[in-house]
Amino acid sequence: MKLVLVATALSYLLANEANASPSPAIHHTKRDVELTSVSNNWSAAYAKAKAAIASYNLTEKVSLATGVGWQVGPCVGNIAAIPAQGFPGLCLQDGPLGIRLATEVSAFPSGINTAATFNRELIYKRGVALGAEARGKGVSVLLAPMMNLIRAPAAGRIWEGGAGDPFLASAAAEEGVKGIQSQGVQACAKHWLNNEQEHFRDYGSSNVDDRTQHELYAAPFLKSVVAGVASVMCAYNRVSNKYSCASPELLNGLLKSDIGFKGYVMSDWWANHATSDAVAGLDMTMPGNKVYGNAADSYFGPELVAAVQNGTVSQSRIDDMATRILAAWYLLGQDKNFPSPNIWSWDFNDPRNQHVNVQGDNAALIRQIGAASHVLLKNSGALPLKKPRSIAIIGSDAAVNPAGPNACGDRSCNVGTLAMGWGSGTAEFPYLVDPLSAITARATADGSSISSSLSDSDLTAAAATARGKDVAIVTISADSGEAYLTVEGNSGDRNDLYAWHGGDALVQAVAAVNKNTIVVVHSGGPILMEAWINNSNVTAVIWAGLQGQEAGNALVDVLYGNVNPSGRLPFTIAKQRSDYAADVVYESDAAIPQIDYTEGLLIDYRWFDAKNIAPRFEFGFGLSYTSFQYSALAVWPYALKGGPRPSTDPSLYQNIATVTFILCNKGGIAGTEIPQLYLEFPKSSNSPPQVLRGFDSVSLKKGETRVVKFDLTRYDLSVWDVSSQRWVIPQGTFGVSVGASSRDKRLHGTLFLL
């Protein structure tokens, strides 16, 4: 039977090559990794940097590594100009979904939404747009992308990055870096490493075994290095009881030697604790001061100069720091016509803030990503809407904060439509289209009547508004963010996984009186839905995430079927909080709280699979308004697996096997499917039951058929061998599964490599 399937797929490929060959920009599931090209670019940049550094004196070299201080320059981080050397300085600015502390910029969908698209091209385009806006503001270094994994579902900043799987997170990191740097702006991979919760982030210790570190948490950074990322930000927390920014094992060892990172390491803001951090591998201190504030002191600057003069820090180390920083500058071509900063982060009314509008036509892309990231979790025929006569819209999340979408600094409140979390990863909304406004506009065009109740606590009003309407749309939310701000008693990390403001009770009150209740969830991660998910009157549920400025329009596109939903969960939604592998450590009396990653490789769906726990909605899940048929799986090994390889070996990233299958849209309308490839490693490898190793976003017209291809590299098929400190392909047979989610497998096969 397997031979028949192979022959079927091969004959289809040959007969339909012109029609079936995927476009590399959209359907090629894994772009060839051009390590040689990246290496050559770095070599050329290093040659320029070394030639330039030869004329720098010690003070100038140290100046390259030392921020000027908090709120001293125009940006959140600034490296001073060195006029004698023709160096204009650097502007470092957040962030992951838009240019922070600036006007006339876009507010993009969050990282977790971008991951939910499972669409490399959209992730790349978002990176391009972010890079273009950064360049337009004179930002040399954009502090993005964020790539810490979703280990604990209540963790405050998971919305900035947003994947519970290292393969998905790595793809998002790689495409984000490529997109940002395509605009001549330095990307910054953050936060290195194990900054997976906000509680105790300033002094707690994350303790992770070596294999787990390589296969999970370092993986997105590795792919960022492969993509040529210019800079890496070390984290606040300790790892194995050493501060991340002071750990030679993490910086000089794992990052620079093991992974082969050629750029520079900057500290997170005030995460530099000593001058000796330079010896451990820290190349740049940010923002420059020792502690929060604008005192003119620094662990680098004059103290680093003195350390070199007294022999504590070697001259060669200073040369290396300066060379890395300049090389990154040359790598992105910033020595040629890069614009000066035109922002002043600290006062929008300051004349130094020129209010240059850099948004271009990015609103269209934001809306496209937004629609593509909506995940349809339940649909009993309620969607898409077809000109209902009457619509009730319920919940405070349906309308913009009456004080304006930017009323709370760094978005530190959950009032009105939730479209981004809080903290340094935020941006100023140029506007925010809320669900009520967008649905009302569409309803008016359709002749539908609209009624609304925007109180979360007045359940009587909610029920009265919903009663008798053709459809009731309930919007609920759950916010999270960064630890320096506390919102409604949540110090960064969420206190629980429930909807805020009594969201469960609101849904129940509406569903009690309306048999066509649709729930829309705006949150930066999973919420528990058990209170109402099985209620037969809840006819549809959409996880909308954190959409950015076009939130309402993107929702309307999906509600009314202008866009067939194709978003997939980048995390697992559990039935109860205790089902997850790990949780935030909220309390500790220890001087150094210990955060032990005892679950090892088993995060998110891997844990649910290994422990045979039934999720409410599994990783990779999402419904469509059409249906897809999978057939004719073929697995093609075509190279020897070879021996152990280090992370820096280019052959590790060579394709050595291909998986093909046929995908057909069997439904009545056009749609986009997200096929996913999972591997079962040989039992001898002691790996999770299955791991994601491929995905694609394939748009098909009604009745259209296409061959889909997944390429597998040696890296994809390897595990980290602790004893040899190399990547090794284990002996034995691999199981190969292709399907619509981590638990919806349509095709099965095997792969054996010699």
Side-chain angles (χ1 to χ4, degrees):
M1 184 64 178
K2 182 178 178 182
L3 290 176
V4 173
L5 293 179
V6 169
T8 301
L10 179 59
S11 63
Y12 188 93
L13 277 166
L14 294 175
N16 299 276
E17 182 175 3
N19 196 33
S21 295
S23 164
I26 299 176
H27 295 298
H28 193 279
T29 62
K30 192 176 299 175
R31 298 176 180 175
D32 293 331
V33 178
E34 299 178 350
L35 272 183
T36 301
S37 175
V38 170
S39 180
N40 289 342
N41 291 341
W42 273 115
S43 294
Y46 259 75
K48 292 179 180 179
K50 288 179 179 178
I53 286 296
S55 65
Y56 278 57
N57 60 37
L58 175 60
T59 300
E60 290 171 333
K61 292 173 184 176
V62 170
S63 178
L64 287 173
T66 308
V68 301
W70 183 240
Q71 296 186 343
V72 174
C75 308
V76 296
N78 303 272
I79 295 294
I82 307 174
Q85 300 294 347
F87 178 72
L90 296 174
C91 163
L92 296 78
Q93 196 80 356
D94 299 296
L97 57 66
I99 313 305
R100 182 188 178 207
L101 300 177
T103 63
E104 310 297 331
V105 298
S106 301
F108 288 82
S110 63
I112 204 168
N113 277 79
T114 313
T117 68
F118 279 70
N119 186 317
R120 283 181 172 84
E121 193 66 21
L122 287 181
I123 297 170
Y124 176 78
K125 286 182 176 180
R126 177 178 178 269
V128 171
L130 283 167
E133 293 203 8
R135 186 183 182 97
K137 290 292 188 179
V139 174
S140 325
V141 186
L142 183 64
L143 304 177
M146 188 278 217
M147 55 194 69
N148 299 112
L149 300 184
I150 302 177
R151 173 179 178 263
R157 300 183 73 178
I158 59 175
W159 56 272
E160 293 184 35
D165 176 82
F167 185 87
L168 177 58
S170 295
E174 185 176 0
E175 297 301 338
V177 167
K178 288 178 178 177
I180 292 167
Q181 295 196 168
S182 73
Q183 302 303 299
V185 172
Q186 299 180 41
C188 177
K190 65 181 189 181
H191 308 87
W192 178 265
L193 192 60
N194 305 129
N195 186 182
E196 270 78 44
Q197 68 170 62
E198 288 300 283
H199 279 74
F200 307 120
R201 73 171 186 173
D202 292 322
Y203 57 98
S205 176
S206 299
N207 306 315
V208 189
D209 70 86
D210 187 46
R211 180 179 173 186
T212 298
Q213 196 73 287
H214 280 80
E215 293 189 22
L216 268 67
Y217 299 101
F221 293 90
L222 170 60
K223 283 306 181 79
S224 296
V225 170
V226 165
V229 70
S231 64
V232 168
M233 181 189 293
C234 54
Y236 289 113
N237 55 282
R238 290 178 168 96
V239 175
S240 298
N241 294 301
K242 292 183 180 179
Y243 280 115
S244 299
C245 295
S247 172
E249 292 83 5
L250 281 187
L251 302 183
N252 290 332
L254 181 55
L255 181 60
K256 293 182 177 179
S257 297
D258 218 10
I259 291 179
F261 176 54
K262 294 181 172 65
Y264 62 93
V265 178
M266 73 176 75
S267 70
D268 206 335
W269 271 227
W270 302 285
N272 172 203
H273 297 280
T275 304
S276 59
D277 291 355
V279 179
L282 181 65
D283 300 304
M284 179 186 290
T285 182
M286 277 291 144
N289 320 79
K290 289 184 177 181
V291 295
Y292 178 77
N294 52 16
D297 58 1
S298 179
Y299 290 113
F300 283 15
E303 291 191 18
L304 184 54
V305 171
V308 175
Q309 292 171 339
N310 67 27
T312 305
V313 178
S314 69
Q315 180 65 55
S316 62
R317 175 66 189 117
I318 299 300
D319 290 345
D320 178 53
M321 295 163 67
T323 300
R324 286 174 175 272
I325 294 166
L326 271 190
W329 184 63
Y330 283 118
L331 179 75
L332 276 302
Q334 294 182 343
D335 56 318
K336 299 176 181 177
N337 302 316
F338 196 86
S340 300
N342 54 54
I343 61 175
W344 188 256
S345 300
W346 321 115
D347 182 357
F348 292 163
N349 296 317
D350 189 287
R352 287 168 288 190
N353 200 333
Q354 299 175 33
H355 303 285
V356 176
N357 191 324
V358 295
Q359 298 169 78
D361 60 355
N362 287 334
L365 176 63
I366 291 168
R367 184 170 179 170
Q368 181 186 9
I369 295 172
S373 65
H374 279 80
V375 183
L376 181 61
L377 297 176
K378 180 179 180 179
N379 188 21
S380 303
L383 296 177
L385 296 176
K386 298 178 176 65
K387 297 184 178 181
R389 291 171 299 173
S390 57
I391 303 172
I393 300 177
I394 312 294
S396 67
D397 183 70
V400 171
N401 183 344
N406 300 316
C408 303
D410 285 345
R411 312 297 78 81
S412 56
C413 61
N414 184 13
V415 180
T417 302
L418 183 64
M420 65 176 72
W422 75 77
S424 64
T426 58
E428 301 294 308
F429 286 105
Y431 58 83
L432 175 55
V433 180
D434 59 68
L436 177 59
S437 298
I439 296 171
T440 298
R442 175 59 188 260
T444 300
D446 288 347
S448 305
S449 67
I450 290 284
S451 303
S452 64
S453 173
L454 301 180
S455 170
D456 296 322
S457 58
D458 190 342
L459 303 185
T460 300
T465 303
R467 186 177 286 109
K469 304 301 189 298
D470 286 353
V471 59
I473 300 173
V474 185
T475 61
I476 59 177
S477 69
D479 204 356
S480 68
E482 198 167 353
Y484 71 90
L485 294 164
T486 297
V487 177
E488 298 185 31
N490 296 263
S491 300
D493 304 314
R494 285 186 280 164
N495 294 336
D496 56 51
L497 297 180
Y498 295 108
W500 286 25
H501 308 153
D504 285 348
L506 186 65
V507 173
Q508 290 172 321
V510 172
V513 300
N514 190 294
K515 293 183 178 181
N516 191 18
T517 298
I518 296 171
V519 181
V520 177
V521 181
H522 285 123
S523 69
I527 69 166
L528 299 178
M529 305 177 175
E530 295 308 294
W532 43 264
I533 190 64
N534 287 323
N535 188 322
S536 60
N537 287 351
V538 175
T539 53
V541 178
I542 295 174
W543 180 80
L546 302 175
Q547 289 283 335
Q549 68 192 47
E550 288 285 328
N553 287 333
L555 176 62
V556 163
D557 287 342
V558 172
L559 286 175
Y560 284 85
N562 295 338
V563 173
N564 195 336
S566 62
R568 300 293 182 265
L569 288 177
F571 48 75
T572 296
I573 296 179
K575 294 182 178 180
Q576 55 188 357
R577 185 174 187 172
S578 60
D579 285 347
Y580 288 103
D583 205 345
V584 172
V585 175
Y586 292 97
E587 297 180 354
S588 175
D589 295 327
I592 302 177
Q594 301 296 300
I595 304 168
D596 298 322
Y597 288 41
T598 53
E599 71 284 351
L601 300 171
L602 302 178
I603 65 169
D604 202 80
Y605 68 91
R606 300 163 173 227
W607 174 266
F608 285 78
D609 292 343
K611 303 301 179 182
N612 197 28
I613 300 171
R616 171 52 59 193
F617 296 110
E618 71 270 19
F619 175 92
F621 177 81
L623 300 174
S624 171
Y625 296 150
T626 188
S627 60
F628 299 91
Q629 181 184 74
Y630 294 66
S631 62
L633 178 73
V635 182
W636 312 81
Y638 50 82
L640 298 175
K641 65 182 182 181
R645 286 171 167 81
S647 301
T648 52
D649 186 339
S651 68
L652 183 66
Y653 308 101
Q654 290 176 350
N655 297 332
I656 62 171
T658 294
V659 177
T660 61
F661 61 96
I662 296 173
L663 185 66
C664 179
N665 183 349
K666 303 292 285 186
I669 60 174
T672 298
E673 177 68 323
I674 309 293
Q676 300 157 46
L677 169 67
Y678 292 87
L679 296 183
E680 299 171 19
F681 275 63
K683 290 184 178 180
S684 62
S685 68
N686 294 316
S687 295
Q690 61 171 347
V691 294
L692 180 70
R693 284 296 184 266
F695 63 84
D696 201 356
S697 177
V698 184
S699 297
L700 297 174
K701 299 175 183 177
K702 173 185 175 181
E704 185 180 2
T705 297
R706 183 168 300 160
V707 172
V708 179
K709 181 180 73 167
F710 292 119
D711 293 318
L712 292 169
T713 68
R714 286 190 177 89
Y715 176 74
D716 294 328
L717 295 161
S718 295
V719 298
W720 180 255
D721 182 63
V722 175
S723 59
S724 68
Q725 291 291 291
R726 293 289 187 271
W727 294 99
V728 176
I729 299 178
Q731 295 286 347
T733 300
F734 289 80
V736 178
S737 299
V738 172
S741 77
S742 63
R743 294 205 168 194
D744 182 6
K745 308 298 178 48
R746 310 292 180 85
L747 303 172
H748 301 274
T750 58
L751 170 64
F752 183 80
L753 295 165
L754 297 176

